[in-house]
Amino acid sequence: DQQVKQNSPSLSVQEGRISILNCDYTNSMFDYFLWYKKYPAEGPTFLISISSIKDKNEDGRFTVFLNKSAKHLSLHIVPSQPGDSAVYFCAAQGGANNLFFGTGTRLTVIP
Amino acid sequence: DARVTQTPRHKVTEMGQEVTMRCQPILGHNTVFWYRQTMMQGLELLAYFRNRAPLDDSGMPKDRFSAEMPDATLATLKIQPSEPRDSAVYFCATVLVNTEAFFGQGTRLTVV
């Protein structure tokens, strides 16, 4: 039973344009959400996070939006760069501090 | 340079053999997660520990998988007997409470 879902397995974007990656979750007990980036043959690395008390968090080119009523979050990358090409995982954490991940979205930024 | 260390990086074994994967957490991190990466399930949570105590291993096939933390510097994931469907990349991640998780580079397991 997948508690965190990323319904788009892949996304292609032109360099300089905006990339929008989406994530849905089912467990209303989740209160902390994270995005990780993964390159081939490496472990995922932390990118940005957001607490459930906020609806937006921005860090440079990366912004995460949280819509609690819809149980939906998104990651915006603008402008997209070729180096952003990777697999992006959405993750959610709840009261027990377990950490659930989605299936990932492979982003390709075309030069 | 604090990092999570996983060994071995690659493992090829025959079906039926025992496989042991090891993880050295970042010093002071008190929560350890084991994940398996597959195409269909993404990063699948297998088990996690806090302060060396197992908190949840419901994601793990109990008949063949076991996870332990014999001390604060070592977490292990064992598969006995291994099967071809266990072939995947296994990641360990560690957390200092209420911060983000740091991942190791993974163990790529191939069972033939």
Side-chain angles (χ1 to χ4, degrees), chain A residues 41-84:
Chain A
E42 295 182 9
T45 54
F46 170 74
L47 188 58
I48 191 170
S49 63
I50 188 167
S51 164
S52 61
I53 63 173
K54 293 185 174 182
D55 55 18
K56 177 182 174 181
N57 188 28
E58 190 173 350
D59 183 4
R61 296 186 297 114
F62 303 90
T63 303
V64 55
F65 295 92
L66 175 63
N67 182 334
K68 289 187 290 296
S69 61
K71 294 192 179 68
H72 178 84
L73 66 155
S74 61
L75 174 69
H76 291 211
I77 307 173
V78 56
S80 302
Q81 299 174 355
D84 297 329

mmCIF file of all heavy atoms in Angstrom, chain A residues 41-84:
data_model
loop_
_atom_site.group_PDB
_atom_site.id
_atom_site.type_symbol
_atom_site.label_atom_id
_atom_site.label_comp_id
_atom_site.label_asym_id
_atom_site.label_seq_id
_atom_site.Cartn_x
_atom_site.Cartn_y
_atom_site.Cartn_z
ATOM 1 N N ALA A 41 23.880 5.356 -9.546
ATOM 2 C CA ALA A 41 24.960 4.757 -8.760
ATOM 3 C C ALA A 41 25.294 5.550 -7.495
ATOM 4 O O ALA A 41 26.378 5.373 -6.913
ATOM 5 C CB ALA A 41 26.226 4.552 -9.595
ATOM 6 N N GLU A 42 24.395 6.412 -7.064
ATOM 7 C CA GLU A 42 24.597 7.145 -5.819
ATOM 8 C C GLU A 42 23.351 7.002 -4.955
ATOM 9 O O GLU A 42 22.266 6.699 -5.445
ATOM 10 C CB GLU A 42 24.855 8.629 -6.080
ATOM 11 C CG GLU A 42 26.129 8.918 -6.828
ATOM 12 C CD GLU A 42 26.362 10.409 -7.013
ATOM 13 O OE1 GLU A 42 25.613 11.209 -6.413
ATOM 14 O OE2 GLU A 42 27.273 10.766 -7.760
ATOM 15 N N GLY A 43 23.513 7.264 -3.662
ATOM 16 C CA GLY A 43 22.350 7.304 -2.800
ATOM 17 C C GLY A 43 21.610 8.619 -2.966
ATOM 18 O O GLY A 43 22.173 9.612 -3.433
ATOM 19 N N PRO A 44 20.323 8.641 -2.616
ATOM 20 C CA PRO A 44 19.572 9.899 -2.688
ATOM 21 C C PRO A 44 20.186 10.958 -1.772
ATOM 22 O O PRO A 44 20.724 10.636 -0.710
ATOM 23 C CB PRO A 44 18.177 9.495 -2.188
ATOM 24 C CG PRO A 44 18.099 8.018 -2.393
ATOM 25 C CD PRO A 44 19.490 7.515 -2.175
ATOM 26 N N THR A 45 20.098 12.210 -2.180
ATOM 27 C CA THR A 45 20.575 13.310 -1.355
ATOM 28 C C THR A 45 19.424 14.284 -1.114
ATOM 29 O O THR A 45 18.606 14.535 -2.001
ATOM 30 C CB THR A 45 21.752 14.051 -1.998
ATOM 31 O OG1 THR A 45 21.365 14.464 -3.309
ATOM 32 C CG2 THR A 45 22.978 13.164 -2.096
ATOM 33 N N PHE A 46 19.408 14.826 0.079
ATOM 34 C CA PHE A 46 18.351 15.744 0.491
ATOM 35 C C PHE A 46 18.391 17.019 -0.342
ATOM 36 O O PHE A 46 19.461 17.582 -0.616
ATOM 37 C CB PHE A 46 18.522 16.064 1.972
ATOM 38 C CG PHE A 46 17.636 17.170 2.461
ATOM 39 C CD1 PHE A 46 16.283 16.953 2.640
ATOM 40 C CD2 PHE A 46 18.163 18.424 2.728
ATOM 41 C CE1 PHE A 46 15.464 17.974 3.096
ATOM 42 C CE2 PHE A 46 17.348 19.450 3.187
ATOM 43 C CZ PHE A 46 15.997 19.225 3.358
ATOM 44 N N LEU A 47 17.202 17.486 -0.712
ATOM 45 C CA LEU A 47 17.116 18.694 -1.525
ATOM 46 C C LEU A 47 16.414 19.829 -0.773
ATOM 47 O O LEU A 47 16.968 20.885 -0.565
ATOM 48 C CB LEU A 47 16.347 18.369 -2.805
ATOM 49 C CG LEU A 47 16.277 19.425 -3.899
ATOM 50 C CD1 LEU A 47 17.658 19.821 -4.354
ATOM 51 C CD2 LEU A 47 15.462 18.884 -5.076
ATOM 52 N N ILE A 48 15.199 19.594 -0.323
ATOM 53 C CA ILE A 48 14.417 20.628 0.332
ATOM 54 C C ILE A 48 13.300 19.971 1.124
ATOM 55 O O ILE A 48 12.887 18.846 0.795
ATOM 56 C CB ILE A 48 13.848 21.633 -0.714
ATOM 57 C CG1 ILE A 48 13.263 22.872 -0.048
ATOM 58 C CG2 ILE A 48 12.830 20.955 -1.619
ATOM 59 C CD1 ILE A 48 12.923 24.000 -1.037
ATOM 60 N N SER A 49 12.825 20.648 2.152
ATOM 61 C CA SER A 49 11.760 20.069 2.961
ATOM 62 C C SER A 49 10.729 21.131 3.317
ATOM 63 O O SER A 49 10.940 22.327 3.106
ATOM 64 C CB SER A 49 12.337 19.471 4.258
ATOM 65 O OG SER A 49 12.920 20.501 5.058
ATOM 66 N N ILE A 50 9.609 20.675 3.857
ATOM 67 C CA ILE A 50 8.566 21.587 4.314
ATOM 68 C C ILE A 50 7.804 20.946 5.457
ATOM 69 O O ILE A 50 7.505 19.748 5.429
ATOM 70 C CB ILE A 50 7.609 21.974 3.150
ATOM 71 C CG1 ILE A 50 6.647 23.075 3.597
ATOM 72 C CG2 ILE A 50 6.854 20.766 2.616
ATOM 73 C CD1 ILE A 50 5.896 23.722 2.438
ATOM 74 N N SER A 51 7.529 21.747 6.471
ATOM 75 C CA SER A 51 6.729 21.295 7.589
ATOM 76 C C SER A 51 5.254 21.504 7.263
ATOM 77 O O SER A 51 4.902 22.397 6.484
ATOM 78 C CB SER A 51 7.112 22.088 8.835
ATOM 79 O OG SER A 51 6.142 21.963 9.839
ATOM 80 N N SER A 52 4.396 20.733 7.911
ATOM 81 C CA SER A 52 2.968 20.855 7.634
ATOM 82 C C SER A 52 2.351 22.170 8.110
ATOM 83 O O SER A 52 1.218 22.489 7.774
ATOM 84 C CB SER A 52 2.209 19.684 8.259
ATOM 85 O OG SER A 52 2.373 19.688 9.660
ATOM 86 N N ILE A 53 3.116 22.948 8.893
ATOM 87 C CA ILE A 53 2.589 24.240 9.337
ATOM 88 C C ILE A 53 2.796 25.322 8.288
ATOM 89 O O ILE A 53 2.335 26.441 8.442
ATOM 90 C CB ILE A 53 3.211 24.674 10.676
ATOM 91 C CG1 ILE A 53 4.721 24.878 10.544
ATOM 92 C CG2 ILE A 53 2.895 23.661 11.763
ATOM 93 C CD1 ILE A 53 5.349 25.473 11.796
ATOM 94 N N LYS A 54 3.520 24.971 7.230
ATOM 95 C CA LYS A 54 3.767 25.932 6.158
ATOM 96 C C LYS A 54 3.090 25.456 4.875
ATOM 97 O O LYS A 54 2.752 24.274 4.741
ATOM 98 C CB LYS A 54 5.267 26.069 5.903
ATOM 99 C CG LYS A 54 6.030 26.700 7.040
ATOM 100 C CD LYS A 54 7.481 26.910 6.628
ATOM 101 C CE LYS A 54 8.242 27.675 7.691
ATOM 102 N NZ LYS A 54 9.650 27.930 7.278
ATOM 103 N N ASP A 55 2.953 26.362 3.912
ATOM 104 C CA ASP A 55 2.457 25.933 2.605
ATOM 105 C C ASP A 55 3.465 26.185 1.493
ATOM 106 O O ASP A 55 3.227 25.802 0.334
ATOM 107 C CB ASP A 55 1.112 26.593 2.279
ATOM 108 C CG ASP A 55 1.168 28.095 2.366
ATOM 109 O OD1 ASP A 55 2.272 28.657 2.332
ATOM 110 O OD2 ASP A 55 0.095 28.717 2.461
ATOM 111 N N LYS A 56 4.590 26.778 1.845
ATOM 112 C CA LYS A 56 5.612 27.053 0.834
ATOM 113 C C LYS A 56 6.971 27.160 1.510
ATOM 114 O O LYS A 56 7.092 27.727 2.604
ATOM 115 C CB LYS A 56 5.277 28.358 0.120
ATOM 116 C CG LYS A 56 6.280 28.815 -0.912
ATOM 117 C CD LYS A 56 5.852 30.150 -1.498
ATOM 118 C CE LYS A 56 6.898 30.724 -2.442
ATOM 119 N NZ LYS A 56 6.495 32.037 -2.995
ATOM 120 N N ASN A 57 7.964 26.623 0.839
ATOM 121 C CA ASN A 57 9.342 26.800 1.288
ATOM 122 C C ASN A 57 10.224 26.946 0.060
ATOM 123 O O ASN A 57 10.117 26.168 -0.879
ATOM 124 C CB ASN A 57 9.804 25.615 2.148
ATOM 125 C CG ASN A 57 11.161 25.866 2.777
ATOM 126 O OD1 ASN A 57 11.528 27.003 3.026
ATOM 127 N ND2 ASN A 57 11.906 24.801 3.020
ATOM 128 N N GLU A 58 11.078 27.947 0.095
ATOM 129 C CA GLU A 58 11.874 28.272 -1.080
ATOM 130 C C GLU A 58 13.359 28.220 -0.742
ATOM 131 O O GLU A 58 13.779 28.673 0.333
ATOM 132 C CB GLU A 58 11.490 29.679 -1.561
ATOM 133 C CG GLU A 58 12.037 30.081 -2.891
ATOM 134 C CD GLU A 58 11.448 31.425 -3.352
ATOM 135 O OE1 GLU A 58 10.497 31.914 -2.716
ATOM 136 O OE2 GLU A 58 11.941 31.951 -4.361
ATOM 137 N N ASP A 59 14.137 27.671 -1.659
ATOM 138 C CA ASP A 59 15.583 27.636 -1.483
ATOM 139 C C ASP A 59 16.222 27.779 -2.865
ATOM 140 O O ASP A 59 16.348 26.816 -3.620
ATOM 141 C CB ASP A 59 16.003 26.314 -0.828
ATOM 142 C CG ASP A 59 17.493 26.258 -0.568
ATOM 143 O OD1 ASP A 59 18.205 27.254 -0.823
ATOM 144 O OD2 ASP A 59 17.974 25.201 -0.099
ATOM 145 N N GLY A 60 16.601 28.998 -3.178
ATOM 146 C CA GLY A 60 17.201 29.244 -4.480
ATOM 147 C C GLY A 60 16.230 28.949 -5.616
ATOM 148 O O GLY A 60 15.126 29.488 -5.667
ATOM 149 N N ARG A 61 16.637 28.068 -6.507
ATOM 150 C CA ARG A 61 15.793 27.729 -7.654
ATOM 151 C C ARG A 61 14.685 26.737 -7.302
ATOM 152 O O ARG A 61 13.842 26.427 -8.158
ATOM 153 C CB ARG A 61 16.672 27.138 -8.766
ATOM 154 C CG ARG A 61 17.707 28.103 -9.333
ATOM 155 C CD ARG A 61 18.441 27.496 -10.520
ATOM 156 N NE ARG A 61 19.219 26.312 -10.150
ATOM 157 C CZ ARG A 61 18.942 25.092 -10.575
ATOM 158 N NH1 ARG A 61 17.915 24.869 -11.395
ATOM 159 N NH2 ARG A 61 19.702 24.077 -10.206
ATOM 160 N N PHE A 62 14.711 26.224 -6.097
ATOM 161 C CA PHE A 62 13.780 25.165 -5.696
ATOM 162 C C PHE A 62 12.732 25.702 -4.719
ATOM 163 O O PHE A 62 13.065 26.372 -3.745
ATOM 164 C CB PHE A 62 14.548 24.012 -5.035
ATOM 165 C CG PHE A 62 15.621 23.424 -5.910
ATOM 166 C CD1 PHE A 62 16.916 23.917 -5.895
ATOM 167 C CD2 PHE A 62 15.318 22.383 -6.772
ATOM 168 C CE1 PHE A 62 17.891 23.379 -6.719
ATOM 169 C CE2 PHE A 62 16.291 21.833 -7.595
ATOM 170 C CZ PHE A 62 17.579 22.332 -7.570
ATOM 171 N N THR A 63 11.481 25.393 -5.020
ATOM 172 C CA THR A 63 10.375 25.769 -4.141
ATOM 173 C C THR A 63 9.463 24.570 -3.974
ATOM 174 O O THR A 63 9.121 23.910 -4.969
ATOM 175 C CB THR A 63 9.569 26.936 -4.737
ATOM 176 O OG1 THR A 63 10.438 28.046 -4.963
ATOM 177 C CG2 THR A 63 8.456 27.367 -3.768
ATOM 178 N N VAL A 64 9.106 24.301 -2.738
ATOM 179 C CA VAL A 64 8.150 23.225 -2.480
ATOM 180 C C VAL A 64 6.858 23.845 -1.976
ATOM 181 O O VAL A 64 6.874 24.760 -1.129
ATOM 182 C CB VAL A 64 8.717 22.177 -1.481
ATOM 183 C CG1 VAL A 64 9.162 22.806 -0.193
ATOM 184 C CG2 VAL A 64 7.719 21.072 -1.240
ATOM 185 N N PHE A 65 5.751 23.378 -2.521
ATOM 186 C CA PHE A 65 4.414 23.830 -2.141
ATOM 187 C C PHE A 65 3.663 22.671 -1.513
ATOM 188 O O PHE A 65 3.739 21.545 -1.995
ATOM 189 C CB PHE A 65 3.635 24.314 -3.368
ATOM 190 C CG PHE A 65 4.216 25.526 -4.024
ATOM 191 C CD1 PHE A 65 5.135 25.404 -5.062
ATOM 192 C CD2 PHE A 65 3.846 26.801 -3.612
ATOM 193 C CE1 PHE A 65 5.674 26.522 -5.670
ATOM 194 C CE2 PHE A 65 4.375 27.926 -4.219
ATOM 195 C CZ PHE A 65 5.297 27.787 -5.249
ATOM 196 N N LEU A 66 2.941 22.974 -0.433
ATOM 197 C CA LEU A 66 2.168 21.941 0.250
ATOM 198 C C LEU A 66 0.705 22.357 0.312
ATOM 199 O O LEU A 66 0.387 23.455 0.786
ATOM 200 C CB LEU A 66 2.701 21.713 1.661
ATOM 201 C CG LEU A 66 1.919 20.747 2.545
ATOM 202 C CD1 LEU A 66 1.936 19.338 1.948
ATOM 203 C CD2 LEU A 66 2.498 20.722 3.961
ATOM 204 N N ASN A 67 -0.167 21.478 -0.133
ATOM 205 C CA ASN A 67 -1.616 21.674 -0.042
ATOM 206 C C ASN A 67 -2.164 20.557 0.837
ATOM 207 O O ASN A 67 -2.396 19.439 0.378
ATOM 208 C CB ASN A 67 -2.243 21.631 -1.435
ATOM 209 C CG ASN A 67 -3.748 21.873 -1.408
ATOM 210 O OD1 ASN A 67 -4.421 21.617 -0.408
ATOM 211 N ND2 ASN A 67 -4.276 22.360 -2.508
ATOM 212 N N LYS A 68 -2.336 20.862 2.135
ATOM 213 C CA LYS A 68 -2.724 19.829 3.088
ATOM 214 C C LYS A 68 -4.115 19.286 2.827
ATOM 215 O O LYS A 68 -4.367 18.098 2.997
ATOM 216 C CB LYS A 68 -2.622 20.360 4.514
ATOM 217 C CG LYS A 68 -1.198 20.555 4.990
ATOM 218 C CD LYS A 68 -1.148 20.923 6.454
ATOM 219 C CE LYS A 68 -1.677 22.306 6.733
ATOM 220 N NZ LYS A 68 -0.839 23.354 6.098
ATOM 221 N N SER A 69 -5.019 20.151 2.426
ATOM 222 C CA SER A 69 -6.394 19.689 2.204
ATOM 223 C C SER A 69 -6.457 18.689 1.066
ATOM 224 O O SER A 69 -7.257 17.756 1.083
ATOM 225 C CB SER A 69 -7.322 20.872 1.942
ATOM 226 O OG SER A 69 -6.912 21.570 0.787
ATOM 227 N N ALA A 70 -5.599 18.877 0.076
ATOM 228 C CA ALA A 70 -5.576 17.959 -1.065
ATOM 229 C C ALA A 70 -4.563 16.838 -0.862
ATOM 230 O O ALA A 70 -4.471 15.949 -1.718
ATOM 231 C CB ALA A 70 -5.246 18.721 -2.336
ATOM 232 N N LYS A 71 -3.807 16.889 0.206
ATOM 233 C CA LYS A 71 -2.729 15.935 0.470
ATOM 234 C C LYS A 71 -1.798 15.859 -0.739
ATOM 235 O O LYS A 71 -1.528 14.782 -1.300
ATOM 236 C CB LYS A 71 -3.284 14.552 0.818
ATOM 237 C CG LYS A 71 -4.057 14.493 2.139
ATOM 238 C CD LYS A 71 -4.293 13.052 2.539
ATOM 239 C CE LYS A 71 -5.023 12.943 3.854
ATOM 240 N NZ LYS A 71 -6.406 13.424 3.785
ATOM 241 N N HIS A 72 -1.324 17.006 -1.127
ATOM 242 C CA HIS A 72 -0.538 17.134 -2.346
ATOM 243 C C HIS A 72 0.619 18.091 -2.117
ATOM 244 O O HIS A 72 0.458 19.118 -1.457
ATOM 245 C CB HIS A 72 -1.427 17.669 -3.474
ATOM 246 C CG HIS A 72 -0.695 17.882 -4.761
ATOM 247 N ND1 HIS A 72 -0.467 16.873 -5.668
ATOM 248 C CD2 HIS A 72 -0.128 18.991 -5.287
ATOM 249 C CE1 HIS A 72 0.208 17.339 -6.682
ATOM 250 N NE2 HIS A 72 0.415 18.634 -6.499
ATOM 251 N N LEU A 73 1.767 17.721 -2.632
ATOM 252 C CA LEU A 73 2.873 18.664 -2.642
ATOM 253 C C LEU A 73 3.546 18.640 -3.998
ATOM 254 O O LEU A 73 3.407 17.684 -4.766
ATOM 255 C CB LEU A 73 3.868 18.404 -1.505
ATOM 256 C CG LEU A 73 4.697 17.147 -1.451
ATOM 257 C CD1 LEU A 73 5.962 17.416 -0.649
ATOM 258 C CD2 LEU A 73 3.932 16.040 -0.773
ATOM 259 N N SER A 74 4.234 19.731 -4.284
ATOM 260 C CA SER A 74 4.913 19.829 -5.559
ATOM 261 C C SER A 74 6.261 20.510 -5.366
ATOM 262 O O SER A 74 6.455 21.296 -4.436
ATOM 263 C CB SER A 74 4.056 20.587 -6.575
ATOM 264 O OG SER A 74 3.792 21.903 -6.132
ATOM 265 N N LEU A 75 7.159 20.180 -6.256
ATOM 266 C CA LEU A 75 8.488 20.779 -6.286
ATOM 267 C C LEU A 75 8.613 21.540 -7.597
ATOM 268 O O LEU A 75 8.398 20.970 -8.661
ATOM 269 C CB LEU A 75 9.564 19.697 -6.196
ATOM 270 C CG LEU A 75 11.005 20.168 -6.369
ATOM 271 C CD1 LEU A 75 11.426 21.026 -5.175
ATOM 272 C CD2 LEU A 75 11.958 18.975 -6.519
ATOM 273 N N HIS A 76 8.945 22.822 -7.491
ATOM 274 C CA HIS A 76 9.154 23.651 -8.661
ATOM 275 C C HIS A 76 10.638 23.968 -8.774
ATOM 276 O O HIS A 76 11.267 24.386 -7.780
ATOM 277 C CB HIS A 76 8.358 24.954 -8.549
ATOM 278 C CG HIS A 76 6.882 24.761 -8.634
ATOM 279 N ND1 HIS A 76 6.042 25.723 -9.163
ATOM 280 C CD2 HIS A 76 6.077 23.736 -8.257
ATOM 281 C CE1 HIS A 76 4.797 25.289 -9.105
ATOM 282 N NE2 HIS A 76 4.792 24.089 -8.544
ATOM 283 N N ILE A 77 11.171 23.786 -9.962
ATOM 284 C CA ILE A 77 12.563 24.133 -10.226
ATOM 285 C C ILE A 77 12.557 25.157 -11.349
ATOM 286 O O ILE A 77 12.081 24.884 -12.458
ATOM 287 C CB ILE A 77 13.378 22.895 -10.670
ATOM 288 C CG1 ILE A 77 13.226 21.751 -9.655
ATOM 289 C CG2 ILE A 77 14.846 23.269 -10.834
ATOM 290 C CD1 ILE A 77 13.863 20.439 -10.121
ATOM 291 N N VAL A 78 13.070 26.348 -11.024
ATOM 292 C CA VAL A 78 13.086 27.377 -12.074
ATOM 293 C C VAL A 78 14.283 28.299 -11.880
ATOM 294 O O VAL A 78 14.505 28.790 -10.759
ATOM 295 C CB VAL A 78 11.751 28.164 -12.093
ATOM 296 C CG1 VAL A 78 11.443 28.770 -10.739
ATOM 297 C CG2 VAL A 78 11.744 29.237 -13.159
ATOM 298 N N PRO A 79 15.083 28.547 -12.910
ATOM 299 C CA PRO A 79 15.014 27.872 -14.194
ATOM 300 C C PRO A 79 15.653 26.490 -14.127
ATOM 301 O O PRO A 79 16.594 26.273 -13.362
ATOM 302 C CB PRO A 79 15.843 28.801 -15.091
ATOM 303 C CG PRO A 79 16.853 29.396 -14.162
ATOM 304 C CD PRO A 79 16.160 29.555 -12.847
ATOM 305 N N SER A 80 15.170 25.561 -14.910
ATOM 306 C CA SER A 80 15.733 24.217 -14.946
ATOM 307 C C SER A 80 17.076 24.239 -15.678
ATOM 308 O O SER A 80 17.260 24.970 -16.655
ATOM 309 C CB SER A 80 14.782 23.256 -15.657
ATOM 310 O OG SER A 80 13.518 23.235 -15.012
ATOM 311 N N GLN A 81 17.995 23.410 -15.170
ATOM 312 C CA GLN A 81 19.331 23.315 -15.756
ATOM 313 C C GLN A 81 19.633 21.849 -16.089
ATOM 314 O O GLN A 81 19.111 20.947 -15.427
ATOM 315 C CB GLN A 81 20.382 23.851 -14.777
ATOM 316 C CG GLN A 81 20.189 25.309 -14.398
ATOM 317 C CD GLN A 81 21.150 25.765 -13.317
ATOM 318 O OE1 GLN A 81 21.906 24.976 -12.769
ATOM 319 N NE2 GLN A 81 21.129 27.054 -13.032
ATOM 320 N N PRO A 82 20.476 21.601 -17.074
ATOM 321 C CA PRO A 82 20.805 20.206 -17.420
ATOM 322 C C PRO A 82 21.300 19.391 -16.225
ATOM 323 O O PRO A 82 21.018 18.193 -16.121
ATOM 324 C CB PRO A 82 21.880 20.358 -18.496
ATOM 325 C CG PRO A 82 21.557 21.659 -19.158
ATOM 326 C CD PRO A 82 21.074 22.554 -18.032
ATOM 327 N N GLY A 83 22.019 20.029 -15.311
ATOM 328 C CA GLY A 83 22.504 19.337 -14.118
ATOM 329 C C GLY A 83 21.401 18.904 -13.164
ATOM 330 O O GLY A 83 21.651 18.126 -12.241
ATOM 331 N N ASP A 84 20.197 19.399 -13.391
ATOM 332 C CA ASP A 84 19.064 18.978 -12.561
ATOM 333 C C ASP A 84 18.524 17.621 -12.994
ATOM 334 O O ASP A 84 17.676 17.037 -12.306
ATOM 335 C CB ASP A 84 17.924 19.999 -12.636
ATOM 336 C CG ASP A 84 18.317 21.366 -12.096
ATOM 337 O OD1 ASP A 84 19.153 21.417 -11.176
ATOM 338 O OD2 ASP A 84 17.779 22.373 -12.605
#
